[in-house]
Amino acid sequence: MKGGYTGRVLVVELDSGEISARDYPPAYAEDHLGGFGANNRLFQEFSRPGTDPLSPDNPVILGAGPFVGTAVPGASRVMANARLPLTGAVASASGSMGLGANLKWAGWDHLVIRGAAPSPTMLVIEDDKVELVPAPGLWGKGILETTRSLWEGYPGFSVLAIGPAGENLAHSSLAMIDACATLGRGGLAAVLGSKNLKAVLVKGNGGVRIADPEGLRKLLRGLFDRLEKYDMRQAAAELGMIGAWPMYAAQLLPYGATEEELQGVTERFGPTAYLRLKKRRISCPSCFLADKDELLLPSTGETVYSTSFLNAAIIGCALGMRDAEEAASTLALLDDLGLDFMTLSWQAAYLLELREHGILRGEEAEGIPLERGAGILRELALRVTERRGDIGDALANGWKGALSLFGEDTRRYTMLVRGQDCLYDPRVSGLGTMEFEQIVSPRGPTSASAGSATYVPGLPEERLRRLTERMGVGKEALERIFSPPWGLNVGRLTRYSEDWFSLFSSLGICNRFQVNRFYHAGLIRDLLAAVTGMELSVEEMMRRAAASWELYRELNAAEGLGPEEDRPPEAWFSEKPLWGRGGRLHDYFGNPLTREDVTLLLRSYYEERES
C-alpha cells in the first residue's frame, strides 16, 4: 500500500486491559477499499452471529478510509460497526468531525474494542501511546460537559463520548463526536455503556502518506475551482443545511397545511430564525462547507453545539414548538443526554396518537404532558434516560418495549421497518431512493441513499439520468432504471445509490448533498490512484464498493435479518395522517403507487443486486 493507509489496526481488550497492534491485511484494503468495507470484514472476523448487542462479546469497530486525514474535500468520515440493541442488526454508522482524521494521523486505520471494563473508563490514544484511564468522575455527566472537561485536560484531542442515556443502556441512545456530530443511531452508546466506556480520545501528530502528491494537488485545484463557481456557495456557507429551506419546508409541514401555515413555520424555524441564534459555523477537517453550528440561546446566554439547525427545525415543526430557541434548546438537551432526536420525537408522536385514539389517558401518562410542544419531548427524554416509570423504561427498550407495554395492535400508529422508525414518509416526499432504501437497508431506516439525484425534488428525467450516470452506473443498468412503467425504477436505482454510499463511506468522503454533488465516479477513481497508488477502472472500483455492501447484507442475514425483513410499513398504504403527516403514496414524479407496485419495485431491487 503506497499511500492512504497506515497499515495498522489497534485492538483494545477492555476486560484484561491488553492493547495490541496488528497489521492491516492488504486484502481488506484491496477488496473493500477501506473504511466501511474493511470494517465489515473486521466485524466478520471478530464477531459471532447471535451475540447479544449488550454482551461484552459484541465488538465495536471504528475505521477511517484512505482519504481521511488528507486534503480531499469532505473526507472526514469515521465508520463504526457494532450489533445495535434497537433492532439487533449489525449496523454500520458514520460520524464526522476530528475523530477519523486524528485516528489516521495517530497511525491507525481501524480500532477494534472488545470486552467490557470493570468500571467507568476512557480510552486515550496519542500516536503509539494508548492507555485505559479510569473515568468515575465523568460517569453520569452529559456529553457537552464531558467533552469540554476532556478538552481542558487533553487539549487538541478529538472526543467521542456517551451521555447518561447510553450509560443506562437506552436503545435509542447514540454517541457524539466533539459534541456536535452524532454516531450510532439505534443504540451504539448503549453498547459502549455496557462496556463501561465513557469516552474515546484520539490525537495524532503525524500525517497520511500520499502516493502521488502532485497528481493529488492537480485534482484538488480542479475541485476548488468548481466550488468557487457553485451558485449556492454563499448560502451554503452562511446557512448550511437550512439554506435549502424551501426544499425541506414542504416535507416538514403537517398534512393539509396552508400557505399561511407555511409562512408561520418559516418565520419560526426558517433561515431568518436561524440567523438570530447563529454564533458560528463549524467545519470538519478538510471540508469546504461548514455544516455544523454553535448556537447562542438569547434567553439564557448559553452556547450549544448542533449537528445542524435543520434538526431543531424538524422537531420544532413536528411537535409545534413555540420558536427556534425552544427547538434548539430541546435538541441540545437530547444531544447532551445522548439520545437520537428522531426516534424520541416519533415516540412522543406515538404517545400523542395513543391519546387521540383513547388508548392512553392523561392520568395514565405518569406525568408526561400529552400535548404537542417541547414539554412532551423534554420530559420523555429525561424519563427514557433514567428508565423512570413504566413508560420511560418501556420506551428505553425501543419500539419493542413500546409495543410490549401498549400492545401489538398499536403498531398501526407507528411507521417501523426492522423495528426502527422511518426517517422519511414517501406519502409526503415521494418514493425516491432515500425513502425506498428504508425498506432494504440492513440496519433499518437510514439516509444511506441520500447521494441519489432523487434527494432533490422536481428534476426532469434527463437530468436524473445524467446525475445517475455520474455514480458509475453503466449504460445497460441505466436502461433498466429509466424504463416503463414508472419511468424511474426506484428499486433498481437504490441498488446503485447504496453502492455509491458504500464507495463514499469506504474511502471516507461525507455523503451530504452539499459535498456529494462535487464528485463523480471518474474523479473518485483518479483521487484513489493519487492517494493510494491503486489503479482501478471505474467499473472495478464500483464492483468493490458493491461487494462491501453485499458483505454488509450477509452479516445481517447471518443474524436472521435477511430479505424477509424487507417489508414496507402499513402506514404507507393509508392516506390517514400519522404523526402529523399523510397523503397518498406516490413516486418521485407524483404518480400514485399501490402495494403491488412496491412489491414489484422490491423484486426489481433484488434482481439488480444479483445482476
Side-chain angles (χ1 to χ4, degrees):
M1 294 182 284
K2 297 178 182 178
Y5 307 94
T6 71
R8 298 196 304 166
V9 177
L10 177 62
V11 181
V12 177
E13 305 283 354
L14 293 175
D15 42 9
S16 67
E18 181 182 351
I19 296 168
S20 60
R22 56 169 280 182
D23 291 338
Y24 184 28
Y28 289 12
E30 293 165 2
D31 296 345
H32 299 288
L33 302 177
F36 164 77
N39 261 20
N40 290 331
R41 187 65 185 84
L42 285 165
F43 193 87
Q44 186 179 51
E45 177 183 344
F46 281 95
S47 181
R48 296 191 311 274
T51 300
D52 187 313
L54 301 180
S55 160
D57 294 329
N58 180 24
V60 174
I61 299 175
L62 301 178
F67 289 3
V68 179
T70 73
V72 174
S76 62
R77 304 309 274 185
V78 62
M79 306 303 296
N81 275 52
R83 193 177 282 100
L84 299 186
L86 185 66
T87 62
V90 176
S92 180
S94 64
S96 57
M97 292 305 293
L99 191 72
N102 274 282
L103 189 67
K104 293 289 292 296
W105 296 335
W108 307 102
D109 288 305
H110 296 269
L111 166 62
V112 179
I113 302 171
R114 305 176 71 189
S119 59
T121 299
M122 60 185 186
L123 172 62
V124 182
I125 303 167
E126 183 172 7
D127 302 331
D128 284 348
K129 182 182 179 183
V130 183
E131 56 183 339
L132 293 168
V133 178
L138 295 176
W139 204 256
K141 295 187 182 300
I143 288 177
L144 186 57
E145 181 182 357
T146 296
T147 302
R148 284 174 170 166
S149 172
L150 290 173
W151 278 338
E152 288 181 8
Y154 296 86
F157 279 73
S158 181
V159 177
L160 181 155
I162 68 171
E167 295 168 2
N168 292 325
L169 311 184
H171 293 191
S172 53
S173 62
L174 45 69
M176 299 286 288
I177 302 172
D178 297 334
C180 63
T182 60
L183 182 67
R185 177 176 194 252
L188 178 64
V191 175
L192 295 172
S194 73
K195 296 179 178 300
N196 273 323
L197 189 60
K198 177 67 176 179
V200 177
L201 292 76
V202 186
K203 181 180 180 181
N205 297 297
V208 177
R209 186 172 65 253
I210 303 298
D212 179 6
E214 182 53 40
L216 179 61
R217 280 192 289 269
K218 182 178 179 180
L219 291 167
L220 295 184
R221 280 196 296 270
L223 258 174
F224 280 103
D225 285 345
R226 291 178 60 207
L227 174 64
E228 289 290 337
K229 299 172 184 175
Y230 178 35
D231 57 358
M232 294 294 292
R233 181 189 173 203
Q234 184 174 351
E238 183 180 3
L239 299 170
M241 300 286 283
I242 209 72
W245 174 257
M247 183 174 76
Y248 296 118
Q251 299 181 32
L252 299 179
L253 284 169
Y255 181 54
T258 64
E259 283 295 321
E260 186 178 356
E261 288 173 305
L262 171 60
Q263 182 179 350
V265 165
T266 298
E267 290 173 356
R268 299 205 312 277
F269 305 114
T272 302
Y274 162 67
L275 290 173
R276 286 196 290 267
L277 303 183
K278 173 186 170 184
K279 183 176 181 181
R280 66 183 176 106
R281 308 299 313 288
I282 300 172
S283 174
C284 301
S286 87
C287 190
F288 44 60
L289 292 172
D291 64 348
K292 295 173 176 57
D293 298 299
E294 185 176 8
L295 304 175
L296 176 64
L297 306 180
S299 64
T300 64
E302 179 186 8
T303 59
V304 297
Y305 297 111
S306 174
T307 53
S308 170
F309 175 76
L310 178 63
N311 294 339
I314 289 172
I315 62 172
C317 290
L319 291 170
M321 293 184 190
R322 184 176 61 250
D323 55 29
E325 181 177 0
E326 183 174 62
S329 64
T330 301
L331 180 64
L333 171 65
L334 270 57
D335 286 347
D336 196 44
L337 295 172
L339 285 167
D340 173 26
F341 83 93
M342 292 297 294
T343 292
L344 202 75
S345 297
W346 299 147
Q347 286 183 335
Y350 168 74
L351 295 181
L352 294 176
E353 290 281 346
L354 297 186
R355 180 211 62 187
E356 182 178 334
H357 291 87
I359 298 169
L360 179 64
R361 297 190 297 271
E363 61 270 21
E364 300 170 327
E366 302 176 353
I368 300 171
L370 295 181
E371 56 187 26
R372 295 179 76 231
I376 184 172
L377 195 56
R378 297 178 76 94
E379 183 63 26
L380 190 59
L382 296 173
R383 288 174 177 270
V384 167
T385 294
E386 299 166 4
R387 290 183 169 269
R388 178 158 36 105
D390 290 342
I391 295 177
D393 188 54
L395 269 59
N397 290 328
W399 290 105
K400 290 179 182 177
L403 297 175
S404 176
L405 179 64
F406 293 110
E408 183 63 32
D409 285 349
T410 64
R411 184 181 291 272
R412 74 185 77 173
Y413 307 121
T414 70
M415 193 175 289
L416 306 179
V417 177
R418 293 176 178 249
Q420 186 158 287
D421 41 281
C422 288
L423 298 174
Y424 310 105
D425 187 341
R427 301 175 304 167
V428 177
S429 55
L431 194 63
T433 53
M434 287 194 307
E435 293 80 7
F436 184 85
E437 207 256 348
Q438 295 178 116
I439 312 174
V440 296
S441 170
R443 66 174 288 193
T446 70
S447 56
S449 288
S452 155
T454 62
Y455 180 78
V456 179
L459 296 178
E461 182 179 325
E462 180 182 348
R463 189 172 179 199
L464 285 171
R465 188 183 184 104
R466 188 170 68 251
L467 292 174
T468 300
E469 191 172 7
R470 81 183 174 99
M471 296 161 55
V473 180
K475 291 182 179 179
E476 291 183 2
L478 282 170
E479 293 305 316
R480 293 193 297 270
I481 292 167
F482 294 95
S483 63
W486 300 287
L488 168 63
N489 188 311
V490 73
R492 296 190 187 279
L493 178 55
T494 295
R495 174 256 158 103
Y496 297 100
S497 298
E498 290 173 338
D499 293 351
W500 188 238
F501 174 81
S502 175
L503 177 68
F504 272 56
S505 299
S506 295
L507 299 177
I509 312 172
C510 176
N511 198 38
R512 280 198 170 181
F513 167 70
Q514 288 91 337
V515 175
N516 184 313
R517 70 179 311 281
F518 290 100
Y519 286 93
H520 58 82
L523 173 60
I524 295 174
R525 172 204 57 202
D526 294 343
L527 287 167
L528 181 64
V531 171
T532 70
M534 197 183 300
E535 299 276 358
L536 302 176
S537 65
V538 165
E539 293 75 17
E540 178 59 22
M541 179 181 72
M542 296 310 302
R543 187 196 67 76
R544 297 185 189 190
S548 294
W549 192 268
E550 285 299 327
L551 177 56
Y552 189 31
R553 290 181 63 83
E554 289 169 15
L555 289 172
N556 279 284
E559 303 290 337
L561 300 172
E564 65 279 358
E565 297 296 320
D566 296 346
R567 297 188 297 270
E570 281 299 312
W572 283 14
F573 306 108
S574 170
E575 295 186 42
K576 293 180 181 179
L578 178 66
W579 300 349
R581 298 180 290 185
R584 186 171 183 181
L585 179 66
H586 59 278
D587 67 11
Y588 176 81
F589 299 113
N591 303 309
L593 292 172
T594 65
R595 188 186 302 271
E596 290 71 27
D597 289 328
V598 175
T599 299
L600 289 173
L601 289 167
L602 274 168
R603 189 179 303 161
S604 296
Y605 168 81
Y606 301 135
E607 289 174 356
E608 203 65 35
R609 271 267 157 239
E610 294 169 3
S611 65

